[in-house]
Amino acid sequence: VFHTPELVPDEVTADCAIAIDVLRATTTMAAALANGADSIQFFSDLDELQRVSESWDAGKRLRAGERGGQKVEHFDLGNSPLECTPDLVRDRRLFISTTNGTRALKKIQTAPIVLTAALTNRETVVRYLLEKQPETVWIVGAGWEGTFALEDTVCAGAIAQRLADQMGCKIGELSGNDELIDAVTLYRHWQTELLELFHHASHGKRLVRLDGHADLKYCSELDTVDILPIQGETGVLVRG
Ligand code: MLT
C-alpha cells in the first residue's frame, strides 16, 4: 500500500496496480462504467485532455474536469459520481482529469494490470484478485497533493481485509508493508461508520463546504456497484 502517488517508485514492478481515490475520482469512474459509459480516458493535464478529446465525435464524448473539488469551467461534468446518470454517460467516452486521482492512475499505468477501486466496487476488485492471483499487488491511494488521505487508506484496508477473509488467512500472511497493516487497522475501527470517518477527513470537509453531502454518502457505501474498471489500451479504462 502506498499512501500517495509520490511514494510509488518510478519503475512499476507490480503485476497488478490499483489506484484508489474514493473522494471521488475512482468512485465516479466505477459509477460511469456501471451506468453504461463506453470507456474512460484519464489525463493529469487539462490541456492535453482538451486536445485529445477534440478528435472524438462530439456526441460520443464527455469532458469531466475537477480542480480543488470544483468543476472545471466549460467542461460537461465535474467529478461527482451522481452526475454520471445512464442517460448522460451511455455509450460515451469520459475524458477525465482530477486533482489527484488521475495523477495516481498515470503513475501506475505501466503495470501489466491496472485497476481502479473505490468502496463501492470493493467486492468486484477482490473477486478479480482472487481469480487472477497476481503475485504482487500495489494499492496506491491518490491522497491530496502529496499527503495521506483517510478515505483512500480505509478503502485499501477494506480490500485487504476482504481478501484475507476470503483466503482464510491473517493480514500478516498477505506479506504487505507497514502501510497495509495501518490501512487494515483503520478499516477495522471505522468499518461500520465510514460516512462519519469521511466527515473527519480533510477532503471530506472540503466537499461538505462545497455542498457535497450527497457525494460523501454515495462514496461511503460499500459493495454497491458490481464493476471492474480495468486498463485496456494505455490511459483508457474499460469494463473488465
Ligand atoms: C481528486 O482527484 O483529487 C478528487 O477526485 C477530487 C474530487 O473530489 O473531485
Side-chain angles (χ1 to χ4, degrees):
V1 172
F2 297 93
H3 287 322
T4 71
E6 289 75 7
L7 294 167
V8 175
D10 288 334
E11 191 190 345
V12 180
T13 55
D15 303 304
C16 172
I18 306 175
I20 298 181
D21 185 7
V22 170
L23 293 175
R24 298 163 288 173
T26 57
T27 307
T28 298
M29 290 169 182
L33 287 176
N35 285 338
D38 165 73
S39 49
I40 298 171
Q41 190 161 2
F42 52 89
F43 298 84
S44 37
D45 184 64
L46 290 168
D47 292 337
E48 195 195 350
L49 183 159
Q50 290 277 22
R51 194 169 36 74
V52 174
S53 59
E54 274 311 316
S55 62
W56 208 258
D57 178 350
K60 291 276 178 192
R61 73 171 178 230
L62 282 170
R63 291 174 173 142
E66 167 276 334
R67 286 296 178 268
Q70 288 178 292
K71 176 174 174 287
V72 174
E73 224 183 312
H74 308 309
F75 272 51
D76 303 306
L77 300 171
N79 182 28
S80 166
L82 298 174
E83 287 178 307
C84 297
T85 57
D87 280 354
L88 190 64
V89 301
R90 191 174 300 117
D91 296 333
R92 296 197 189 198
R93 173 171 289 194
L94 202 68
F95 294 83
I96 186 168
S97 178
T98 71
T99 314
N100 304 285
T102 53
R103 279 197 311 126
L105 264 165
K106 282 276 162 200
K107 186 80 196 221
I108 59 168
Q109 68 179 356
T110 55
I113 301 170
V114 176
L115 309 175
T116 68
L119 289 169
T120 53
N121 70 333
R122 183 272 308 248
E123 185 66 33
T124 313
V125 169
V126 169
R127 202 189 318 130
Y128 176 85
L129 295 175
L130 289 168
E131 233 172 73
K132 298 283 171 195
Q133 307 213 352
E135 181 131 336
T136 319
V137 179
W138 288 3
I139 303 181
V140 180
W144 186 268
E145 296 181 336
T147 59
F148 165 94
L150 282 170
E151 64 278 10
D152 299 335
T153 308
V154 85
C155 182
I159 292 171
Q161 180 68 66
R162 183 76 178 148
L163 262 180
D165 290 346
Q166 293 290 306
M167 291 164 69
C169 70
K170 292 194 161 108
I171 289 298
E173 293 171 64
L174 293 179
S175 80
N177 55 5
D178 288 8
E179 287 85 341
L180 174 76
I181 306 294
D182 175 44
V184 170
T185 307
L186 186 73
Y187 173 67
R188 284 183 184 161
H189 188 84
W190 288 97
Q191 56 185 309
T192 58
E193 291 162 315
L194 291 167
L195 181 55
E196 191 191 332
L197 175 66
F198 287 10
H199 279 95
H200 295 299
S202 56
H203 188 49
K205 289 180 187 163
R206 183 180 294 108
L207 289 176
V208 167
R209 285 197 297 275
L210 296 169
D211 209 16
H213 289 274
D215 276 5
L216 237 61
K217 183 168 184 313
Y218 180 90
C219 295
S220 71
E221 285 166 1
L222 201 53
D223 305 334
T224 50
V225 175
D226 186 7
I227 198 84
L228 183 79
I230 186 166
Q231 184 171 250
E233 65 182 279
T234 304
V236 180
L237 298 164
V238 293
R239 260 182 296 275

